Amino acid sequence: MMGRRGSSWCRWWVALLVLAVAADAVGCTSVSYDDRSLVIDGQRRIILSGSIHYPRSTPEMWPDLIKKAKEGGLDAIETYIFWNGHEPHRRQYNFEGNYDVVRFFKEIQNAGMYAILRIGPYICGEWNYGGLPAWLRDIPGMQFRLHNEPFENEMETFTTLIVNKMKDSKMFAEQGGPIILAQIENEYGNIMGKLNNNQSASEYIHWCADMANKQNVGVPWIMCQQDDDVPHNVVNTCNGFYCHDWFPNRTGIPKIWTENWTGWFKAWDKPDFHRSAEDIAFAVAMFFQMRGSLQNYYMYHGGTNFGRTSGGPYITTSYDYDAPLDEYGNLRQPKYGHLKELHSVLKSMEKTLVHGEYFDTNYGDNITVTKYTLDSSSACFINNRFDDKDVNVTLDGATHLLPAWSVSILPDCKTVAFNSAKIKTQTSVMVKKPNTAEQEQESLKWSWMPENLSPFMTDEKGNFRKNELLEQIVTSTDQSDYLWYRTSLNHKGEGSYKLYVNTTGHELYAFVNGKLIGKNHSADGDFVFQLESPVKLHDGKNYISLLSATVGLKNYGPSFEKMPTGIVGGPVKLIDSNGTAIDLSNSSWSYKAGLASEYRQIHLDKPGYKWNGNNGTIPINRPFTWYKATFEAPSGEDAVVVDLLGLNKGVAWVNGNNLGRYWPSYTAAEMAGCHRCDYRGAFQAEGDGTRCLTGCGEPSQRYYHVPRSFLAAGEPNTLLLFEEAGGDPSGVALRTVVPGAVCTSGEAGDAVTLSCGGGHAVSSVDVASFGVGRGRCGAYEGGCESKMAYEAFTAACVGKESCTVEITGAFAGAGCLSGVLTVQATC
């Protein structure tokens, strides 16, 4: 009896264990690859992905951003991991708030999407210091991104930490999670030949691959822009505006495009870059025509460089990137919708593209037809790479007109389902609307407080002293934008001099005996500049205080981490009227990082701080001044921005949340590309080929994102401004971002849609004309007005959030030539 009962117990336990293992395995996904594509659960797949960086938005925004990406036809979300955000101090970690990366990946999983984990941990990304922590510079023997134990130990420690966090949360595909690919290092191939140590660079990149594979994550590892000296155990991938002509450097691996740049980042001195929907669609269609398998938009949502996270130097707080979802998460139309239509067509052909035989036929220069055939089905692409002429292409007896610089996709090789140059999606123009919650006042009521500079006006009470001028990053470990260099000298009698300071900046303020006597900042791209200011010394001891400030640290290039900042080396001189110099470079300098307000945490607006201005007056154009105002949160759910026009340079906070640096006084340059826009031809973000630029001659960034989660409804919200350079806050205002005009066009037989979205309704139809010849959405002019079309759209759309109207031939009537009807409405 005892034996039988024991045997029964054993069988029962084994059966329970088998069931538990089987349950644990439910949803597990296998990921491999061959020369055609990723193979997921045994099936070749076309993957459409988009980059959304979790620290550049808020956790409250993540579900909506991911939902819109999925509705836009994406399969996957790609993100970097931000080392210096997660480990701001060595072995002190931050995975809270918008750095809660596990929560972000769970949101991706909840949406039923895949994820691509780009650990780096060097990331570039226009992020401060390329994502690398500045404290690495404190470690003896440290060489960034070369084969050396100090760097590799820290890199492996952080990589393992991230991998284990993902494993613990079952985020990898083989665990049933969303992650199907992981990346180690980033664009190393672009710089490894410029590091003057080819052996060390080669050893390092192979070490990276081996270290990554030892992590046993169960999904392939990729390396982007690693076309030479590629480790055998990674898949190399392409980044760029176009990757159709690129192929991996060995057989047996798929063609993957990790970064298709949807626009470009913005610097404080530059206008806004725009890459057209037509050109992006052209690039994507060409990529899949030429055997592409996975394509990722960088960025799909750009977001905001909150706090001190922007890199560069001189990258703006906005990281909008002209992405399909704008900085605030709104659909950027027509880019979002045009790409969504492309995704749908590509997915309809997926099986044929990854399994079919393919054959390319060149029809002379710049025209290629590609035919994929699987069993009895075929799918075709026709591209026209001329940027100055349309062409007719005959395929299987049918002639197809291709506009210049376009691709037509024919899922059955007969009927064109999509042409990259023909946009059928509406255009939306977003506008900034005043805060309607502020009924009782025209402008914000301000109080103010001076920054306490007095502790820094002598050379006493520093962190340490040194008889040389030190480099700023190493000295401050980038814990603040600001570093004080202070010294003193004894002078007999009074004297007049010119203070001369040579600095690698990015900004400099000079004080002598407690008075601000000069300031200057570098031009973008130079970052070596001089300050020259007249000074008067008195008899006895004189104090010189120099405040050096950074505006984002360099994030890209060979040995980028060695680009100096601050007054390193100087010289610092006092030069008299005869040209005789007193060189202070090797004087005893006292060092202190940060401002008094940073130590006091003024931005948290704690009780006890003394604010002035109860009489309603505040000083303006006063450097180193704090301003404070309260406001009601704008009603509704529309995105909120603060308009900082009138201010100079500083930092803004709402309810203790750092919105980032502001600098609206910096005017965007006038460039040739500001005055012309044509989607045809290869897009460039630099040089003479730039085009479709906006905002030239205007403030480089006027509006700053205030996420809704930063605001409290029904109670006062606090806006704090630290005005570093001296500005006027009287014009500062809260606004909401809403659709202004929406426009669409089509021909007879087309069903066209107008949508305001976000709960907004069409208030009027303003244009319904054939042959509109001038202007853009929101300001169309000319053409032949169609009364019938106007009445049809007015009846169908006014008062509605969305409407669809079929264009008929009767709309042209007797007075208009049939053709393209353009409709413009106001939301």
Side-chain angles (χ1 to χ4, degrees):
M1 291 289 291
M2 187 74 173
R4 285 197 297 273
R5 219 169 16 201
S7 175
S8 173
W9 163 258
C10 184
R11 286 195 300 272
W12 177 82
W13 175 250
V14 170
L16 188 63
L17 186 62
V18 168
L19 284 171
V21 171
D24 191 55
V26 169
C28 295
T29 301
S30 66
V31 184
S32 59
Y33 56 84
D34 59 23
D35 62 330
R36 294 296 289 270
S37 71
L38 287 187
V39 179
I40 300 178
D41 285 337
Q43 300 295 318
R44 288 177 175 169
R45 293 291 308 276
I46 292 289
I47 300 295
L48 298 164
S49 175
S51 292
I52 299 175
H53 292 163
Y54 53 96
R56 284 174 159 147
S57 53
T58 64
E60 293 76 11
M61 294 173 67
W62 295 343
D64 183 61
L65 295 174
I66 294 166
K67 176 174 177 284
K68 288 172 178 173
K70 185 174 184 179
E71 290 173 347
L74 299 191
D75 308 295
I77 302 297
E78 181 188 270
T79 186
Y80 282 132
I81 298 296
F82 298 79
W83 187 0
N84 56 10
H86 289 298
E87 194 176 359
H89 305 276
R90 194 178 187 196
R91 306 300 180 262
Q92 296 179 30
Y93 298 109
N94 174 23
F95 289 95
E96 304 295 323
N98 62 342
Y99 287 97
D100 190 347
V101 63
V102 171
R103 177 177 172 182
F104 180 71
F105 277 91
K106 286 183 177 179
E107 295 288 1
I108 297 171
Q109 184 177 34
N110 292 341
M113 299 183 74
Y114 296 125
I116 300 173
L117 173 69
R118 305 180 75 188
I119 295 178
Y122 164 73
I123 61 170
C124 181
E126 293 72 59
W127 189 264
N128 192 50
Y129 224 34
L132 298 180
W135 53 257
L136 291 172
R137 298 281 295 272
D138 292 340
I139 299 174
M142 175 66 64
Q143 292 180 288
F144 284 24
R145 302 173 77 198
L146 284 170
H147 187 49
N148 65 101
E149 189 172 325
F151 185 77
E152 289 172 353
N153 283 347
E154 295 299 324
M155 177 175 170
E156 183 169 10
T157 298
F158 181 73
T159 300
T160 302
L161 172 76
I162 295 299
V163 166
N164 286 343
K165 273 194 166 291
M166 295 300 159
K167 284 183 176 179
D168 291 346
S169 300
K170 300 187 185 304
M171 288 291 105
F172 288 104
E174 72 167 12
Q175 301 174 293
I179 299 172
I180 57 171
L181 287 175
Q183 179 180 305
I184 198 70
E185 248 296 335
N186 189 60
E187 296 183 330
Y188 194 66
N190 291 353
I191 58 101
M192 67 182 296
K194 304 173 185 177
L195 296 172
N196 301 319
N197 196 335
N198 291 340
Q199 180 178 342
S200 181
S202 178
E203 290 172 344
Y204 165 70
I205 202 63
H206 285 269
W207 172 87
C208 287
D210 292 340
M211 181 272 290
N213 278 276
K214 283 193 301 183
Q215 301 288 335
N216 296 317
V217 298
V219 301
W221 285 92
I222 60 175
M223 277 186 179
C224 65
Q225 295 296 91
Q226 192 64 37
D227 291 341
D228 297 314
D229 200 8
V230 184
H232 69 93
N233 46 0
V234 297
V235 175
N236 66 309
T237 69
C238 183
N239 291 354
F241 290 115
Y242 308 94
C243 281
H244 55 274
D245 285 337
W246 176 91
F247 288 88
N249 68 341
R250 70 175 189 269
T251 59
I253 62 176
K255 180 173 175 173
I256 294 176
W257 191 359
T258 33
E259 292 188 15
N260 175 2
W261 302 326
T262 55
W264 202 240
F265 58 87
K266 180 179 171 68
W268 288 112
D269 65 327
K270 297 293 190 299
D272 298 296
F273 290 82
H274 300 280
R275 188 181 180 198
S276 69
E278 296 97 325
D279 183 60
I280 300 174
F282 170 81
V284 174
M286 287 278 287
F287 178 71
F288 285 102
Q289 178 176 1
M290 302 306 293
R291 270 67 77 191
S293 66
L294 185 155
Q295 186 270 163
N296 177 76
Y297 296 106
Y298 187 100
M299 301 292 296
Y300 200 75
H301 169 257
T304 306
N305 291 318
F306 297 112
R308 301 179 56 247
T309 60
S310 61
Y314 281 26
I315 300 296
T316 57
T317 295
S318 172
Y319 197 67
D320 180 87
Y321 218 89
D322 200 41
L325 300 179
D326 71 15
E327 178 178 0
Y328 321 112
N330 298 310
L331 305 187
R332 172 169 276 117
Q333 298 285 31
K335 187 173 286 187
Y336 175 90
H338 192 49
L339 296 176
K340 178 179 179 178
E341 291 180 6
L342 171 59
H343 302 156
S344 178
V345 173
L346 290 171
K347 282 297 185 177
S348 74
M349 303 157 57
E350 179 177 33
K351 190 173 181 181
T352 305
L353 293 180
V354 297
H355 288 282
E357 295 182 358
Y358 50 85
F359 189 76
D360 299 322
T361 303
N362 292 320
Y363 284 54
D365 294 337
N366 294 326
I367 301 167
T368 302
V369 174
T370 301
K371 188 172 188 176
Y372 286 83
T373 302
L374 179 66
D375 299 327
S376 59
S377 64
S378 296
C380 292
F381 294 80
I382 312 172
N383 70 56
N384 174 12
R385 301 186 300 282
F386 284 109
D387 61 10
D388 59 354
K389 65 178 180 180
D390 303 345
V391 297
N392 284 302
V393 177
T394 300
L395 176 65
D396 296 336
T399 299
H400 305 279
L401 174 64
L402 268 76
W405 201 256
S406 76
V407 180
S408 284
I409 304 177
L410 300 78
D412 58 0
C413 289
K414 297 177 183 177
T415 304
V416 174
F418 181 87
N419 178 271
S420 60
K422 296 181 179 180
I423 293 180
K424 298 180 180 178
T425 303
Q426 75 171 32
T427 296
S428 301
V429 177
M430 307 302 289
V431 297
K432 312 296 192 298
K433 183 180 178 182
N435 180 10
T436 54
E438 297 291 338
Q439 301 284 350
E440 73 283 356
Q441 59 190 53
E442 284 295 317
S443 60
L444 298 171
K445 294 181 179 179
W446 294 95
S447 54
W448 72 282
M449 178 194 303
E451 171 68 28
N452 183 15
L453 298 174
S454 58
F456 306 101
M457 294 298 102
T458 72
D459 61 348
E460 300 168 3
K461 298 181 181 179
N463 289 342
F464 63 92
R465 304 188 77 92
K466 200 83 170 177
N467 287 81
E468 60 180 313
L469 293 161
L470 300 177
E471 199 278 332
Q472 183 165 345
I473 301 172
V474 173
T475 305
S476 68
T477 60
D478 194 40
Q479 296 305 306
S480 168
D481 281 358
Y482 303 102
L483 178 66
W484 289 96
Y485 296 72
R486 297 173 295 153
T487 193
S488 60
L489 77 157
N490 287 303
H491 190 269
K492 290 184 179 180
E494 296 182 349
S496 296
Y497 294 88
K498 177 177 70 177
L499 176 65
Y500 174 90
V501 183
N502 184 74
T503 180
T504 56
H506 312 134
E507 294 181 282
L508 186 65
Y509 293 86
F511 300 82
V512 174
N513 295 325
K515 293 184 178 179
L516 178 63
I517 56 94
K519 62 181 179 178
N520 200 2
H521 67 264
S522 170
D524 186 15
D526 188 4
F527 305 114
V528 175
F529 68 99
Q530 294 75 41
L531 181 145
E532 298 182 64
S533 295
V535 299
K536 291 197 175 193
L537 301 186
H538 56 236
D539 183 57
K541 198 169 190 178
N542 292 263
Y543 295 99
I544 297 175
S545 301
L546 304 176
L547 180 61
S548 176
T550 55
V551 191
L553 301 185
K554 191 171 177 64
N555 54 263
Y556 181 75
S559 303
F560 73 88
E561 75 281 0
K562 296 179 182 178
M563 176 182 174
T565 61
I567 316 174
V568 53
V572 175
K573 299 178 181 180
L574 290 168
I575 304 172
D576 67 17
S577 57
N578 298 318
T580 303
I582 303 173
D583 194 335
L584 304 174
S585 305
N586 296 116
S587 297
S588 176
W589 289 91
S590 173
Y591 290 91
K592 183 78 172 178
L595 300 174
S597 57
E598 293 179 282
Y599 293 102
R600 295 177 64 202
Q601 297 184 310
I602 296 294
H603 66 278
L604 296 179
D605 193 30
K606 296 177 181 178
Y609 294 152
K610 185 178 179 182
W611 293 91
N612 306 305
N614 292 332
N615 61 358
T617 62
I618 58 170
I620 62 172
N621 301 321
R622 183 185 187 279
F624 300 102
T625 302
W626 285 82
Y627 296 104
K628 173 183 172 182
T630 59
F631 64 93
E632 291 183 36
S635 57
E637 298 298 323
D638 297 313
V640 179
V641 295
V642 58
D643 180 357
L644 297 184
L645 191 65
L647 293 175
N648 195 331
K649 179 186 177 293
V651 184
W653 288 265
V654 168
N655 296 334
N657 297 285
N658 193 329
L659 304 185
R661 301 182 186 95
Y662 66 76
W663 205 350
S665 63
Y666 210 137
T667 301
E670 286 282 350
M671 298 170 62
C674 297
H675 309 291
R676 60 190 179 91
C677 189
D678 189 337
Y679 76 86
R680 298 173 299 178
F683 182 83
Q684 298 178 46
E686 298 173 340
D688 295 335
T690 56
R691 57 183 183 271
C692 300
L693 305 177
T694 63
C696 304
E698 299 176 8
S700 53
Q701 187 179 344
R702 174 177 174 176
Y703 300 100
Y704 297 79
H705 186 202
V706 185
R708 282 277 176 180
S709 59
F710 289 3
L711 299 173
E715 58 184 275
N717 293 270
T718 302
L719 171 64
L720 289 181
L721 305 171
F722 171 59
E723 177 52 59
E724 169 197 304
D728 181 356
S730 60
V732 169
L734 278 295
R735 304 189 183 280
T736 54
V737 183
V738 299
V742 291
C743 305
T744 190
S745 60
E747 300 175 283
D750 292 339
V752 298
T753 298
L754 288 172
S755 176
C756 292
H760 299 278
V762 174
S763 60
S764 65
V765 175
D766 308 311
V767 175
S769 301
F770 287 93
V772 167
R774 297 185 303 279
R776 60 179 61 186
C777 185
Y780 279 129
E781 296 178 0
C784 178
E785 290 188 17
S786 168
K787 182 179 179 181
M788 184 178 291
Y790 175 83
E791 291 174 347
F793 277 91
T794 298
C797 301
V798 172
K800 307 256 183 79
E801 181 176 337
S802 180
C803 60
T804 301
V805 176
E806 183 174 345
I807 300 172
T808 69
F811 282 179
C816 296
L817 295 174
S818 61
V820 176
L821 174 71
T822 298
V823 180
Q824 175 182 299
T826 298
C827 294

